[in-house]
Amino acid sequence: MDLIVRADRAVIDGAERAAAVGVRDGEIVAIGEVDAPWTAPSDERLGEDEVLLPGMVDTHVHVNDPGRTEWEGFETATRAALRGGATTIIDMPLNSLPPTTTVEALDAKRAAAQGNCFVDVGFWGGAIPGNLDDLLPLYDEGVFGFKCFLIDSGVPEFPPLSAAELDTYLRRTALLGALLIVHAEDETTITEAHGPAYADFVASRPDASEVTAIERVIDAVRRSGGRAHILHLSSAQALPAIRAAKAEGLPITVETCPHYLTFAAETIRDESTAHKCCPPIRSEANRSQLWEALADGTIDCIVSDHSPCTVDLKTPDFGTAWGGVASVQLALAAVWTEARQRGHSLAAVARWMSEKPSALVGLASKGSIEVGRNADLVAFAPDETITVDAATLEHKNKLTAYQDLTLTGVARRTWLRGVPATTERPIGQFLTRGKP
């Protein structure tokens, strides 16, 4: 063994227990009693106040590189992910220029990322009108699936699919065995909102916008035989349709995000466009229903939807401000802060933020502390608190909806494939579909 990590508390097989984890060549090769008589050049013992977790897997990160690197970039985004306890991210295909809708664009993305990744990085492809024949070449190049919008994406180079195109693309992804991930809002139920009032912004994107679009996706999955994943679920009113689709056996999965689980519309101040995202953060009652849906398995996983921008784009007007919450560094702490208050365990958080996202994209090498998996490990202090100061975050632009919040839980040390990972040395590797 190259490394042994010993912990009085480790999340293994869905529960906490004392354990020693043995690592060789970046892979977990043994799990035994905490005082197992093994030897290795590096033998680490976690502190009494630390828990050994698998590295978080964040499958929804907008790195915006190349092309909009003033918004973010691979160096800053992956540093932030590492500091927050994530060891893997999957980069979204839009907000970069060019968007990842062709193999040539994927090559440009990889060139921008080369040598700049502090965690392991994979890539989504994009599904936009006119690139149907690009899906197979992109899939052969190892993207983890394809993202589409059913509404204006906010950037002109990534237009939405029509209802007919959604069916067509799902049929094609079904032939490929690929996953289509969907930003599900319906433009016919959305109105324009201008001004500083958060209540007006929420009213402009009602629950019906999500419910209608999600029902459209479910119907299209039923017709096409394709697989679909609902991105960033905000509205609890869509849960009955999702439950029914899952009960029917349709291949539908769903994610939500830390900001929907942390904030409530009633407490968001006017002009606080750091909280603007689409779909929007909804009511306190809605938030509780999302937590219940996580507990019963209706919602499969939690991912950050880290979507940063330059500070000047967050104008005080909810009509003109960029929609996105910068959160990749704070996702684990934010979720754990709220989860523990609601009686959920660290094992549940690891399932929602590591195991399930890994399974979503088919990363058999990630997602749990298990023999045969990558030794992506985090020494997590679940009782340590931090008060969020955007100026100290690794995000390129120092703006966050979590400013001044007190969060519980700190990732103190991280190993990536058995190697100590720090913000001083980029040791992240590229991940491709079907390969470790």
Side-chain angles (χ1 to χ4, degrees), residues 11 51-59 61 81-82 84-90 119-120 302-304 328-333 335-336 346-358 363 366-369 376-380 411 414-416 431:
V11 172
V51 181
L52 188 65
L53 297 179
M56 300 300 108
V57 176
D58 194 338
T59 57
V61 179
L82 176 63
T87 50
T88 298
I89 66 168
I90 311 295
V119 300
D120 287 352
I302 307 171
V303 293
S304 71
V328 67
Q329 185 169 336
L330 301 170
L332 174 57
V335 171
W336 171 235
L346 266 175
V349 171
R351 182 173 69 252
W352 296 326
M353 301 189 73
S354 185
E355 178 187 338
K356 292 291 189 176
S358 297
L363 273 177
K366 308 287 187 183
S368 63
I369 300 174
D376 296 349
L377 306 169
V378 176
F380 185 70
T414 300
W415 294 265
L416 180 60
L431 303 171

Side-chain angles (χ1 to χ4, degrees), residues 55-72:
M56 300 300 108
V57 176
D58 194 338
T59 57
H60 195 148
V61 179
H62 293 270
V63 178
N64 308 328
D65 196 5
R68 288 192 174 97
T69 52
E70 69 275 17
W71 292 16
E72 194 61 279

Side-chain angles (χ1 to χ4, degrees), residues 5-357:
V5 182
R6 305 177 190 271
D8 292 326
R9 297 171 63 190
V11 172
I12 297 171
D13 294 331
E16 284 188 29
R17 66 179 176 90
V21 177
V23 178
R24 183 172 57 243
D25 296 330
E27 185 176 292
I28 298 171
V29 295
I31 298 174
E33 298 299 318
V34 67
D35 294 320
W38 305 335
T39 59
S42 180
D43 193 328
E44 303 278 350
R45 181 79 183 232
L46 267 58
E48 293 181 355
D49 63 339
E50 296 176 334
V51 181
L52 188 65
L53 297 179
M56 300 300 108
V57 176
D58 194 338
T59 57
H60 195 148
V61 179
H62 293 270
V63 178
N64 308 328
D65 196 5
R68 288 192 174 97
T69 52
E70 69 275 17
W71 292 16
E72 194 61 279
F74 282 99
E75 182 178 353
T76 50
T78 58
R79 281 178 187 267
L82 176 63
R83 285 281 301 277
T87 50
T88 298
I89 66 168
I90 311 295
D91 173 61
M92 282 291 163
L94 74 156
N95 300 345
S96 55
L97 291 170
T100 316
T101 53
T102 65
V103 169
E104 293 74 20
L106 177 62
D107 289 341
K109 177 83 69 171
R110 287 173 171 161
Q114 186 66 48
N116 292 318
C117 298
F118 291 81
V119 300
D120 287 352
V121 176
F123 305 95
W124 292 107
I128 63 172
N131 85 323
L132 187 66
D133 290 336
D134 291 297
L135 302 190
L136 175 57
L138 279 165
Y139 207 51
D140 284 344
E141 281 293 311
V143 299
F144 285 89
F146 301 95
K147 179 176 185 176
C148 72
F149 277 72
L150 304 185
I151 193 171
D152 180 10
S153 71
V155 291
E157 66 276 2
F158 206 95
L161 298 182
S162 68
E165 287 167 333
L166 176 63
D167 276 23
T168 299
Y169 277 69
L170 269 170
R171 290 191 180 96
R172 182 63 60 89
T173 55
L175 288 173
L176 299 178
L179 179 65
L180 189 70
I181 63 175
V182 186
H183 182 123
E185 288 185 284
D186 173 58
E187 64 182 358
T188 66
T189 54
I190 290 175
T191 58
E192 287 192 36
H194 291 286
Y198 186 74
D200 291 344
F201 172 63
V202 176
S204 75
R205 301 182 92 97
D207 295 88
S209 66
E210 286 188 83
V211 174
T212 300
I214 288 169
E215 289 175 344
R216 185 186 311 156
V217 174
I218 291 168
D219 288 342
V221 166
R222 187 182 292 113
R223 286 190 299 268
S224 67
R227 289 191 298 136
H229 177 72
I230 304 300
L231 297 167
H232 44 52
L233 180 71
S234 162
S235 174
Q237 288 188 22
L239 292 171
I242 293 165
R243 289 189 175 105
K246 289 190 168 194
E248 186 182 336
L250 294 177
I252 297 279
T253 49
V254 184
E255 71 185 36
T256 193
C257 305
H259 38 280
Y260 301 129
L261 300 169
T262 300
F263 301 110
E266 295 91 331
T267 60
I268 295 175
R269 301 184 311 277
D270 289 351
E271 297 189 358
S272 185
T273 55
H275 290 87
K276 179 184 175 180
C277 53
C278 300
I281 297 163
R282 304 191 187 275
S283 70
E284 179 62 47
N286 184 90
R287 180 168 75 120
S288 292
Q289 291 178 70
L290 294 180
W291 276 105
E292 291 166 6
L294 278 163
D296 69 23
T298 304
I299 298 175
D300 298 273
C301 56
I302 307 171
V303 293
S304 71
D305 189 12
H306 176 69
S307 186
C309 65
T310 54
V311 174
D312 60 292
L313 293 180
K314 284 291 193 180
T315 70
D317 185 329
F318 278 95
T320 59
W322 176 258
V325 175
S327 59
V328 67
Q329 185 169 336
L330 301 170
L332 174 57
V335 171
W336 171 235
T337 299
E338 187 67 25
R340 72 185 305 182
Q341 293 175 2
R342 294 173 180 265
H344 300 294
S345 66
L346 266 175
V349 171
R351 182 173 69 252
W352 296 326
M353 301 189 73
S354 185
E355 178 187 338
K356 292 291 189 176

